[in-house]
């Protein structure tokens, strides 16, 4: 005898395993995915066993993100995780006001109107901040300490990043405090990155600050090669840059960010509401120096920086 299940019961039975939509502004990096899965595992969720994940990666082409977000909403995922900062988070927010969203790598969630409050985000969004907007003056300060002779400094920003205008104001104020001349360079394509570095010569730039942005992050090797070609000391906001030959970085741990995102996903799947989960801000920042690159550039790293470094690459 065959018993027909009511349609609602059949649907619930079919969707016994929750589905997460993973929306990334850049490439899917194994190290970050591993940290994310570790966080989920800490709350009892293992991909392929009791949770499924649908991945969408824009590979740095932010214009693809809104369609990817709409696609995930159409697939009725239970939750959306956004990776790669503001572009993915804003795309997800624009696609749904009901499906829970956990964002990662956002520098200023309040400034770009992702949430109205860090302590009580309300609505369907919460996530992890990496405090990049407030960080850029610190990057300029550290770079000035490393290259005190540089009286002309440039900052490279992505015009497509929602934090760019705020970053410009913050870094201009920091440059005035340091009494250095500042040039704002913008690049949202690979050809514009090349053009920005080529302009350093005519501008007599002595050092470069590279703003935090997924587009730059996924082109770390290219940035390292260009900084070497133009022999310009440059500082970055993520520790993954010195790993590929860049000079120095200072910023929050992205792997810790993704692990915490996994924990938040598990909490929400277990019944917590995004509205009640505060946006997590980093409490520790990593200073990483690549001494090999410093020697190639002919730089002597001050002992004051070496003493404060969390890691020195030789």
């Amino acid at each position: 005898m065959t018993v027909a299940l009511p349609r609602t019961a059949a649907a619930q039975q079919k969707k016994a395993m929750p589905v997460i939509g993973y929306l990334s502004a850049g490439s899917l990096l194994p190290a970050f995915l591993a940290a994310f899965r570790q966080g989920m595992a800490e709350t009892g969720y293992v991909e392929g066993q009791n949770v499924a994940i649908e991945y969408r990666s824009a590979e740095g082409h932010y214009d693809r993100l809104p369609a990817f977000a709409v696609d995930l909403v159409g697939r009725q995922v239970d939750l959306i995780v956004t990776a790669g900062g503001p572009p993915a988070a804003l795309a997800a927010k624009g696609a749904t006001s009901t499906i829970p969203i956990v964002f990662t790598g956002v520098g200023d969630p309040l400034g770009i109107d992702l949430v109205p409050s860090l302590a009580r985000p309300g609505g369907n969004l919460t996530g992890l901040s990496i405090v990049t907007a407030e960080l850029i003056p610190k990057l300029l300060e550290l770079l000035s300490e490393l290259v005190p002779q540089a009286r002309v400094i440039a900052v490279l920003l992505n015009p497509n990043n929602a934090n760019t205008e705020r970053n410009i104001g913050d870094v201009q104020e920091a440059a005035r405090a340091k009494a250095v001349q500042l040039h704002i360079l913008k690049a949202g394509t690979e050809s514009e990155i090349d053009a920005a570095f080529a302009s350093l010569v005519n501008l007599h730039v002595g050092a470069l600050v590279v703003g935090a942005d997924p587009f730059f992050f996924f082109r770390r090797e290219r940035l390292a090669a260009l900084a070497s070609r133009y022999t310009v000391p440059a500082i970055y906001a993520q520790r993954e840059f010195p790993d590929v030959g860049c000079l120095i970085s200072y910023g929050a741990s992205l792997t810790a960010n993704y692990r915490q995102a996994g924990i938040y996903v598990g909490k929400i799947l277990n019944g917590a509401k995004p509205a009640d989960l505060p946006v997590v801000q980093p409490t520790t920042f990593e200073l990483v120096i690549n001494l090999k690159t410093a020697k190639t550039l002919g730089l002597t790293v001050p002992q004051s920086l070496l003493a404060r470094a969390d890691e020195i690459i030789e």
Side-chain angles (χ1 to χ4, degrees):
M1 179 178 178
T2 301
V3 178
L5 290 173
R7 183 172 297 180
T8 54
Q12 289 173 353
Q13 189 179 65
K14 183 179 180 181
K15 205 175 180 181
M17 183 183 292
V19 180
I20 297 168
Y22 191 99
L23 179 65
S24 177
S27 303
L28 300 172
L29 292 186
F32 294 161
L33 288 175
F36 173 68
R37 291 172 181 135
Q38 177 188 343
M40 284 201 308
E42 291 175 26
T43 56
Y45 288 92
V46 177
E47 183 179 8
Q49 293 185 16
N50 58 357
V51 67
I53 303 179
E54 292 238 1
Y55 297 96
R56 300 291 184 275
S57 173
E59 301 291 341
H61 299 282
Y62 298 165
D63 57 319
R64 299 176 182 172
L65 289 166
F68 284 157
V70 169
D71 175 55
L72 290 172
V73 171
R75 292 176 182 270
Q76 299 182 333
V77 297
D78 296 274
L79 185 150
I80 296 175
V81 176
T82 72
L90 290 169
K93 182 180 181 180
T96 178
S97 60
T98 55
I99 296 174
I101 297 170
V102 175
F103 57 80
T104 66
V106 174
D108 183 16
L110 296 177
I112 61 174
D113 295 325
L114 268 185
V115 293
S117 165
L118 297 180
R120 293 188 64 83
N124 63 318
L125 285 88
T126 188
L128 299 305
S129 169
I130 52 173
V131 195
T132 56
E134 296 88 342
L135 198 62
I136 200 159
K138 181 65 175 180
L139 296 180
L140 187 140
E141 177 187 324
L142 289 168
L143 189 61
S144 295
E145 186 176 347
L146 176 60
V147 196
Q149 69 274 19
R151 306 315 302 161
V152 181
I153 293 178
V155 58
L156 180 64
L157 300 170
N158 184 350
N160 302 316
N161 190 307
N163 288 324
T164 290
E165 290 307 312
R166 176 178 174 179
N167 282 338
I168 290 174
D170 288 346
V171 76
Q172 286 175 334
E173 185 178 338
R176 283 193 291 270
K178 286 289 181 184
V180 296
Q181 184 180 351
L182 183 71
H183 291 286
I184 306 295
L185 306 177
K186 296 181 181 180
T189 66
E190 292 193 356
S191 62
E192 288 174 348
I193 290 178
D194 294 340
F197 272 88
S199 72
L200 298 178
V201 177
N202 290 335
L203 294 174
H204 305 290
V205 169
L208 175 68
V209 176
V210 177
D213 188 271
F215 177 74
F216 297 147
F217 184 88
F218 290 105
R219 287 157 181 80
R220 299 187 301 284
E221 291 85 355
R222 189 184 192 93
L223 289 165
L226 287 167
S228 176
R229 182 192 306 172
Y230 291 97
T231 61
V232 58
I235 189 167
Y236 310 81
Q238 290 98 13
R239 62 142 301 116
E240 286 79 10
F241 281 87
D243 285 341
V244 297
C246 294
L247 175 61
I248 182 173
S249 70
Y250 180 79
S253 168
L254 288 178
T255 53
N257 207 254
Y258 282 90
R259 173 180 164 271
Q260 182 61 47
I263 292 173
Y264 261 23
V265 164
K267 287 184 175 181
I268 292 170
L269 292 179
N270 285 332
K273 295 180 180 179
D276 300 328
L277 294 174
V279 174
V280 177
Q281 294 183 286
T283 56
T284 58
F285 297 85
E286 302 171 320
L287 176 63
V288 181
I289 301 170
N290 190 317
L291 277 186
K292 183 178 178 181
T293 301
K295 292 173 184 176
T296 301
L297 293 171
L299 290 176
T300 300
V301 180
Q303 189 59 40
S304 59
L305 278 178
L306 292 174
R308 280 145 46 207
D310 296 281
E311 183 178 346
I312 295 173
I313 299 172
E314 299 188 67

